[in-house]
Amino acid sequence: MIISNLSIPQRFYRLLFLICIPGLLVIFAQLLDERSEILEQSEHHALLLAKHIVAVQSTEISDTKALLKTLSENPSIREFKNGPCPILLSHAQLLFADIANMGIVAPNGEVICSLTTGNQAINIHDREYFQTALSTKQFAIGQFQQDRSVHRATVNFAIPIFDANGAINSVLVAVKPLDKWSQTLAKLPLPQGSQVMLSDTNDNIIALSPFNKIILGSPSNKHWPQIDANQAHILEDNKGHRRIYFTLPLKSNSTLNALTVHVSLPFEQAIIQANKEVAITLVLFVLAIALLIWQARWSLQRVILKPLENLVNAIEDLSQGQPVRWSQKSQTPEFNAIALRFEQMANIRLNVESALSHKHAELSALLASLPDSYLRLDKQGNILMRHGQFAKRAPKLPQIFPDHIYQRLLKQLAKLDEQSHCQLEFSLEEHNKRHVYECRLSPITDHPQAILMIRDISQRKKQEEAINLAALVYNNSSEGMVITDANGYILDTNPAFSHVTGYKRSEVIGKTTSILASGQHEEAFYAHMWQQLEEQGKWQGEIINRRKNGELFTEWLTINSVYDSNGAPYRRVAIFTDITEKKQQDELIWRQAHYDQLTQLANRTQLKRHLKSRLAQGTQQLAILLLDLDHFKDINDTLGHFYGDQLLTEVANRLNQLSPICSLVSRIGGDEFVLVTHYFGDDSALAELADKVLTQLQPKINIGNESFHMSASIGIARTPDDGTSSEHLLKAADQAMYQAKQQGRSGYAFFSNEMREQAESRMRLLKDLRVAQQEQQFCLHYQPIVALKTQKVEKAEALIRWQHPEKGLIRPDEFIPLAEETQLIHKMGEFIFTSACDTLRKVKDSGKHLQLSINVSPVQFTSKHCYLSKWHKQLQAQNLNAQDIVIEITEGLMMNAQPRTQKRLTALTAQGFALALDDFGTGYSSLAYLKQMDTDYIKIDKRFVDGIADNKDDLALCEAMIMMAHQLGLQVIAEGIETHEQHKLLLQAGCDFGQGYYYAKPMPQEALLALVADNYSEKAT
């Protein structure tokens, strides 16, 4: 009503004003929206950069975890106990340059081995990451710390190593220096002025870019604003510049002690640019409005006012459904054209409405056929229509989308009048799988509604991530990579290629791989390589190439072919690793394992390999000379190992001079050397070689101020008679060498069948002896000892016998030496003592008295562990007296008694055991030792007793020994008395006791008990 009362010019200006003002507001709102969109895009770009940083760091941690997991499952590490670290750890450290140290740690925290510190004692039991790995049995990430092995600020990683039963055997630890981590951050492609910082679970800084060593390890809240995680915050820094801040957690599946990434990007320039665009657009719009008003005022009367009035009338007619006759009215040619168009539009209105209805149906069918889901929404977010599985998952919009997506959709729906479009991405966990969705919100023209399309882009995201990951691996791999065409022309290389070869990428593009050829391989080598590539599409092997500086290096090369759709070779991808250092290390390890480090001669391992190789050929017979230096131990004991080592080195140099006639000269340990030579069936040639060896050693050896004359004992063994394997030959030569030593040393001896028979007999006897102990084939026989004056049994000697199931009764002198050598004597001696106690117990129970003598081997006294200390308690347990046991020892034990032997003898005599010196006069008899050992008896050996009836010297010796013993307060027992005359002469000489066949032979326990009973009966009579 207000407008109709105004004149046409007034109405025009009023209308123009009403049109311009809303337009100006709309433009202004649109500009603000564009400004907001620019800022949102900048914020979104910043968030993508932040997520990229998170992805890079997460990948590094995942790679470290995968490395430690692979290493922990390797048998060489899993079964590792002690010593230098397995070589696999060194290889892993070479592949991962950002790891400063690796080691294996026992569950108690003690470092078993470390690549950097060796066997230095370090305990990490107090480290939280170590305890976390033990308690959770999973991969764990550490916190900021000063590492004790590399003495640098580090973050450590740990993973348990399990044994075959699933228990924690040890823990594998990797050390990552923080300065290198910070260098990795600095290499990220970020805008200038960006800041990145990593913090551990204790919120301490562990890496940052730009790098500042001073603030490493300090709390992050001192250098970073307190903001919510996973949200962008625009704040002013200390210089008044606005920046966008992110705090994002860095997590990895099943990884403990996750880290946090802090990202700050400059935002001031984005705000300035958005404000500038808004201002420019607004000024241009105002100028356009002013120009429009001026032009309208100029042509108002002539062009617009009248035709406009006619237009109003025509519109009124059209709105009432009446035919439009506007074109028939007088007006300007321009409005006539408009009028004609208006009439045409009115006439086709029904046709258009019909077409629109058809199009609507067609569009509905199209939407129904699409795989995407969609929703039709009003401005309030109410669902007006839905299609697709995702859209039907819930009745209301907040139940379909995550809350942050729902809130953003509401904001966009509120701007429908501005024709705004928006595209969003979000992810959901569905059935333990991560799905990524893309949403596109498009307003419906001329309606306060919008269409929301939802598409599952999970597969596309995976492909993008795979491509990005492949690019990261290609550019950051420590292995060199080359991509060529089918003919070997280089198309691309990665940075590791330049690092290994020295060639820049620009220097090799377009050239063939022959630029790296070393000339060390023949043409046939490369021909075979290309043949295999053509036939199988791949080749792998070891190859020697040349760096740019001319240096040769060995690499492990793998080449794979890529084929086009027609199956023809399209590209070749080569991956190589520099293994030069590993080859050198392997060669050093091989030499250390096969050669003696002192003399540089072959060691036992190399000797066996050499013999095995020569014996496998079977073309020639072999002989070996095993020589052992005479009295070498005396040099080590008197002058020390330095002189001993120098002497061994000189001996090795002299033996090396015989190498032209020997296929190998080796040192197999200590002072033993082995020479391998050809054998043509002539022992005289071998004897001549042995003489040459002895002659070679004869000249004086001067070491410092000392001079030495060396000799050796040589054992010679030949194939095939003396052995057909390295073990048999060495064993035969060893036996022959001992034969040479027994013959007086400084000579040689050939292995013979007699030696073999003796060795085999000894082995059979030892085997039977072990079985005898298991099956208790031993028994005791007792030989009575009588008082010469009364000829009554007062004592008896317990003698062990072996009741062999096939050979019958075996005397002790046949098996006791072997039992002493193999330490079987301990159980045998315990059997003798236990059986003697049983006999004494039975004698005592019968009311009689008897003193038993038992022989004790020197081995029982000198061994570290023995049963002698328990004998006294065993006697007490059976209510027996120690005085009833006489321990018989030899003179050799007294002469060579060690402190341990002296102590044990003293303890036994202190406990009441009587002591008898057996075989007196046959060794190095010493009167001083007789008193020192507190001896009770001496036993005159049978060799003196045999001749006393016929030889005055033997009788004089016996009389002297008896008189000497009595002067020392000792009693005398004569062994081997077989005649009455011997008995009579010894009685006249004053001997106390006698033992021999004249009185009784050794007898079983039952016979001894009967004899003692009869003896007491005669006494009573």
Side-chain angles (χ1 to χ4, degrees):
M1 294 296 295
I2 297 176
I3 295 179
S4 62
N5 293 330
L6 299 177
S7 62
I8 292 179
Q10 291 175 332
R11 282 183 288 175
F12 175 77
Y13 290 125
R14 182 68 177 270
L15 181 62
L16 185 61
F17 179 77
L18 293 176
I19 292 174
C20 291
I21 292 302
L24 182 60
L25 294 176
V26 170
I27 293 299
F28 184 71
Q30 186 173 0
L31 291 176
L32 292 179
D33 181 61
E34 290 180 359
R35 177 180 180 274
S36 175
E37 185 174 354
I38 292 173
L39 295 180
E40 286 183 0
Q41 290 177 353
S42 299
E43 179 182 339
H44 181 66
H45 177 66
L47 179 60
L48 290 179
L49 287 176
K51 289 183 177 180
H52 174 69
I53 295 171
V54 171
V56 171
Q57 299 305 312
S58 179
T59 300
E60 288 192 8
I61 292 177
S62 298
D63 290 345
T64 303
K65 178 181 178 181
L67 170 67
L68 293 186
K69 188 174 185 303
T70 302
L71 291 176
S72 68
E73 295 172 354
N74 188 277
S76 66
I77 296 178
R78 195 160 139 198
E79 299 170 3
F80 179 78
K81 298 297 182 184
N82 199 359
C85 286
I87 192 65
L88 186 61
L89 293 187
S90 299
H91 296 170
Q93 187 182 18
L94 292 175
L95 294 176
F96 286 76
D98 58 342
I99 293 179
N101 189 20
M102 300 184 77
I104 301 176
V105 184
N108 63 358
E110 294 291 338
V111 176
I112 302 175
C113 81
S114 170
L115 294 180
T116 302
T117 62
N119 293 329
Q120 178 182 347
I122 297 177
N123 193 297
I124 64 170
H125 189 267
D126 58 332
R127 299 299 194 188
E128 183 178 344
Y129 73 92
F130 178 74
Q131 292 297 332
T132 302
L134 288 178
S135 60
T136 62
K137 299 184 179 180
Q138 297 181 16
F139 173 76
I141 305 174
Q143 298 81 33
F144 173 86
Q145 66 176 42
Q146 291 294 330
D147 188 77
R148 297 166 182 156
S149 62
V150 298
H151 305 292
R152 296 163 65 182
T154 66
V155 166
N156 292 6
F157 304 86
I159 192 168
I161 301 175
F162 300 96
D163 58 17
N165 298 322
I168 296 180
N169 185 28
S170 54
V171 177
L172 181 61
V173 176
V175 178
K176 186 168 186 177
L178 299 187
D179 52 354
K180 287 193 176 182
W181 205 337
S182 298
Q183 292 173 7
T184 304
L185 292 178
K187 296 179 181 179
L188 295 173
L190 298 176
Q192 186 175 3
S194 300
Q195 299 176 357
V196 182
M197 186 170 69
L198 294 181
S199 62
D200 59 18
T201 54
N202 297 328
D203 292 329
N204 292 327
I205 299 173
I206 60 173
L208 67 159
S209 176
F211 181 63
N212 186 349
K213 184 178 181 181
I214 298 176
I215 67 173
L216 275 179
S218 61
S220 61
N221 55 16
K222 290 184 178 180
H223 309 280
W224 203 265
Q226 293 293 324
I227 58 176
D228 296 333
N230 296 310
Q231 294 186 12
H233 297 268
I234 301 175
L235 304 172
E236 288 188 358
D237 59 12
N238 52 9
K239 297 181 180 180
H241 297 157
R242 282 170 287 187
R243 303 177 65 87
I244 184 167
Y245 292 86
F246 295 93
T247 297
L248 302 173
L250 180 60
K251 296 182 178 180
S252 181
N253 293 338
S254 69
T255 300
L256 304 174
N257 299 338
L259 308 179
T260 303
V261 177
H262 307 272
V263 182
S264 172
L265 302 172
F267 205 64
E268 187 72 26
Q269 189 61 36
I271 296 175
I272 294 174
Q273 182 65 27
N275 292 339
K276 183 178 179 181
E277 291 183 6
V278 170
I280 292 173
T281 305
L282 187 61
V283 170
L284 291 176
F285 180 75
V286 172
L287 291 177
I289 293 298
L291 181 61
L292 178 62
I293 293 174
W294 176 82
Q295 185 180 8
R297 186 174 181 180
W298 176 75
S299 59
L300 177 62
Q301 294 297 330
R302 186 177 65 86
V303 178
I304 297 179
L305 292 181
K306 185 60 178 178
L308 189 57
E309 183 178 358
N310 294 334
L311 175 59
V312 171
N313 295 331
I315 291 174
E316 183 68 24
D317 293 340
L318 181 60
S319 64
Q320 295 177 4
Q322 299 178 4
V324 178
R325 296 292 181 264
W326 184 26
S327 61
Q328 299 176 4
K329 298 181 180 180
S330 176
Q331 51 193 358
T332 62
E334 292 83 359
F335 269 94
N336 276 334
I338 294 174
L340 290 174
R341 287 293 182 185
F342 185 79
E343 289 179 0
Q344 290 175 1
M345 290 172 59
N347 292 331
I348 63 175
R349 177 176 177 175
L350 294 175
N351 294 333
V352 170
E353 290 178 351
S354 176
L356 285 175
S357 177
H358 177 74
K359 288 294 183 182
H360 181 269
E362 183 180 350
L363 181 59
S364 297
L366 177 61
L367 291 175
S369 64
L370 291 176
D372 300 340
S373 298
Y374 76 88
L375 296 168
R376 184 157 61 90
L377 308 171
D378 61 14
K379 296 183 66 174
Q380 289 73 36
N382 297 317
I383 299 176
L384 305 178
M385 182 181 293
R386 68 180 72 215
H387 169 75
Q389 189 67 32
F390 187 88
K392 296 177 181 179
R393 58 191 299 163
K396 295 183 179 181
L397 200 64
Q399 300 169 345
I400 298 177
F401 296 96
D403 183 65
H404 68 284
I405 298 297
Y406 170 67
Q407 295 298 333
R408 293 190 64 180
L409 287 175
L410 285 183
K411 291 180 181 179
Q412 294 299 325
L413 288 172
K415 302 175 183 179
L416 287 179
D417 294 338
E418 304 171 14
Q419 299 294 308
S420 63
H421 295 262
C422 123
Q423 182 171 323
L424 304 174
E425 287 186 12
F426 64 94
S427 61
L428 293 175
E429 290 288 338
E430 298 177 335
H431 306 296
N432 296 325
K433 291 184 179 180
R434 178 175 171 268
H435 289 267
V436 182
Y437 294 94
E438 179 184 70
C439 295
R440 296 191 303 276
L441 183 68
S442 301
I444 299 176
T445 307
D446 298 330
H447 290 277
Q449 299 176 3
I451 294 295
L452 180 63
M453 302 293 296
I454 305 103
R455 174 175 294 178
D456 189 342
I457 60 171
S458 303
Q459 189 62 32
R460 189 183 78 190
K461 283 293 184 182
K462 289 181 181 179
Q463 293 174 352
E464 291 175 356
E465 291 176 0
I467 292 173
N468 293 334
L469 181 60
L472 285 173
V473 171
Y474 181 72
N475 292 318
N476 296 282
S477 173
S478 59
E479 295 183 328
M481 298 184 184
V482 183
I483 300 176
T484 72
D485 63 10
N487 299 316
Y489 286 90
I490 299 175
L491 304 177
D492 194 15
T493 64
N494 71 337
F497 171 87
S498 301
H499 176 73
V500 174
T501 65
Y503 287 99
K504 296 180 180 179
R505 179 177 178 275
S506 58
E507 294 176 325
V508 297
I509 297 298
K511 298 180 181 179
T512 65
T513 53
S514 61
I515 192 174
L516 301 175
S518 63
Q520 300 294 311
H521 301 286
E522 299 179 353
E523 290 295 331
F525 175 83
Y526 296 103
H528 176 72
M529 177 193 296
W530 279 103
Q531 179 183 359
Q532 191 168 347
L533 283 173
E534 293 296 333
E535 294 176 356
Q536 303 180 14
K538 60 183 179 180
W539 183 87
Q540 186 177 61
E542 189 177 295
I543 188 172
I544 300 175
N545 277 334
R546 190 180 300 276
R547 307 186 204 272
K548 182 180 178 181
N549 60 7
E551 178 185 347
L552 297 178
F553 70 100
T554 305
E555 66 181 49
W556 182 258
L557 175 63
T558 301
I559 305 176
N560 289 286
S561 301
V562 181
Y563 298 92
D564 58 18
S565 58
N566 297 322
Y570 173 63
R571 293 286 186 265
R572 314 275 190 194
V573 179
I575 302 175
F576 63 90
T577 302
D578 187 349
I579 60 172
T580 306
E581 185 175 351
K582 179 181 180 299
K583 293 282 290 184
Q584 295 172 350
Q585 291 175 349
D586 290 346
E587 183 177 352
L588 176 61
I589 292 172
W590 185 89
R591 182 159 188 86
Q592 290 175 344
H594 293 80
Y595 284 86
D596 177 47
Q597 299 303 302
L598 175 65
T599 63
Q600 301 305 313
L601 296 178
N603 61 10
R604 182 181 292 270
T605 301
Q606 182 64 9
L607 171 65
K608 289 184 177 180
R609 289 169 61 92
H610 179 76
L611 290 175
K612 183 177 180 180
S613 174
R614 296 292 302 275
L615 291 171
Q617 295 175 3
T619 55
Q620 287 184 331
Q621 297 181 6
L622 300 176
I624 65 171
L625 281 71
L626 189 153
L627 64 96
D628 183 271
L629 300 180
D630 296 330
H631 306 296
F632 177 76
K633 184 176 182 299
D634 297 337
I635 298 175
N636 267 344
D637 293 342
T638 56
L639 298 179
H641 289 280
F642 171 78
Y643 285 92
D645 290 346
Q646 295 296 317
L647 188 63
L648 290 173
T649 303
E650 178 59 26
V651 170
N653 293 336
R654 294 187 178 186
L655 293 179
N656 257 332
Q657 298 176 15
L658 301 172
S659 57
I661 57 177
C662 298
S663 62
L664 185 71
V665 179
S666 66
R667 176 189 176 216
I668 62 174
D671 58 344
E672 290 187 335
F673 296 83
V674 173
L675 285 72
V676 182
T677 185
H678 301 293
Y679 177 57
F680 300 100
D682 184 7
D683 287 349
S684 61
L686 296 178
E688 182 180 351
L689 176 59
D691 287 330
K692 287 183 179 180
V693 173
L694 296 175
T695 302
Q696 199 77 11
L697 297 177
Q698 282 180 358
K700 179 174 62 176
I701 299 175
N702 296 318
I703 301 175
N705 297 326
E706 302 290 341
S707 297
F708 305 94
H709 290 276
M710 295 304 301
S711 64
S713 299
I714 303 175
I716 305 173
R718 302 137 298 186
T719 62
D721 294 338
D722 300 337
T724 57
S725 68
S726 60
E727 293 294 340
H728 289 162
L729 282 175
L730 288 171
K731 183 178 179 181
D734 189 63
Q735 293 177 6
M737 182 269 292
Y738 278 107
Q739 181 70 26
K741 283 188 177 293
Q742 292 174 2
Q743 292 173 357
R745 303 178 187 268
S746 189
Y748 58 87
F750 286 88
F751 182 77
S752 62
N753 290 330
E754 290 77 11
M755 295 182 188
R756 178 181 290 106
E757 291 173 0
Q758 290 175 3
E760 291 175 354
S761 175
R762 181 178 179 277
M763 291 303 297
R764 286 194 298 269
L765 184 62
L766 177 59
K767 179 180 178 181
D768 291 346
L769 188 60
R770 296 185 188 277
V771 174
Q773 281 204 338
Q774 294 175 358
E775 299 181 356
Q776 298 180 352
Q777 296 176 3
F778 297 106
C779 63
L780 284 189
H781 282 198
Y782 301 89
Q783 187 170 26
I785 301 175
V786 303
L788 292 183
K789 292 181 179 180
T790 63
Q791 293 194 31
K792 301 298 182 182
V793 178
E794 295 186 6
K795 307 176 186 298
E797 181 180 0
L799 302 171
I800 190 169
R801 295 292 185 265
W802 179 5
Q803 188 64 48
H804 196 282
E806 297 175 358
K807 301 178 181 179
L809 204 63
I810 300 178
R811 294 178 56 82
D813 55 356
E814 298 183 31
F815 62 86
I816 289 296
L818 186 59
E820 290 177 331
E821 182 182 344
T822 58
Q823 300 295 314
L824 296 175
I825 192 66
H826 295 292
K827 291 185 178 180
M828 197 175 295
E830 189 65 12
F831 166 76
I832 294 172
F833 179 76
T834 304
S835 300
C837 289
D838 177 64
T839 302
L840 285 175
R841 177 76 265 166
K842 293 180 179 180
V843 171
K844 187 174 182 179
D845 291 343
S846 65
K848 313 297 188 300
H849 179 268
L850 186 69
Q851 190 179 45
L852 285 183
S853 298
I854 60 174
N855 290 278
V856 180
S857 168
V859 177
Q860 293 176 262
F861 281 100
T862 58
S863 178
K864 185 176 181 181
H865 303 286
C866 70
Y867 300 99
L868 300 178
S869 60
K870 302 178 182 179
W871 283 4
H872 187 256
K873 291 183 179 180
Q874 293 181 32
L875 289 173
Q876 289 180 338
Q878 300 186 47
N879 196 22
L880 296 174
N881 296 321
Q883 293 84 353
D884 295 336
I885 298 290
V886 178
I887 296 176
E888 293 192 7
I889 60 174
T890 61
E891 290 181 331
L893 176 66
M894 297 182 66
M895 294 294 296
N896 302 315
Q898 302 174 1
R900 179 185 296 161
T901 303
Q902 298 271 6
K903 182 178 179 181
R904 288 173 177 170
L905 278 171
T906 303
L908 289 173
T909 55
Q911 292 169 357
F913 289 94
L915 198 63
L917 187 60
D918 198 9
D919 301 333
F920 186 78
T922 61
Y924 301 95
S925 302
S926 171
L927 302 181
Y929 280 113
L930 288 175
K931 296 306 295 181
Q932 179 180 341
M933 293 298 181
D934 196 16
T935 310
D936 298 287
Y937 303 94
I938 64 170
K939 299 186 74 172
I940 300 176
D941 190 77
K942 182 179 184 297
R943 283 174 285 184
F944 297 105
V945 174
D946 286 343
I948 61 174
D950 304 318
N951 191 320
K952 294 182 180 181
D953 292 337
D954 287 344
L955 178 59
L957 284 174
C958 288
E959 290 174 343
M961 285 188 283
I962 293 170
M963 182 176 62
M964 175 197 66
H966 287 167
Q967 291 295 325
L968 294 174
L970 307 179
Q971 292 183 306
V972 182
I973 303 172
E975 294 182 305
I977 300 175
E978 297 181 354
T979 65
H980 176 72
E981 187 175 0
Q982 292 172 348
H983 165 78
K984 184 178 179 180
L985 290 173
L986 288 170
L987 179 61
Q988 292 174 355
C991 184
D992 301 293
F993 299 96
Q995 176 182 355
Y997 283 5
Y998 176 69
Y999 310 108
K1001 293 182 179 180
M1003 60 187 68
Q1005 182 190 71
E1006 295 78 8
L1008 176 67
L1009 294 176
L1011 179 63
V1012 171
D1014 293 343
N1015 186 67
Y1016 268 82
S1017 298
E1018 292 177 4
K1019 281 184 180 182
T1021 304

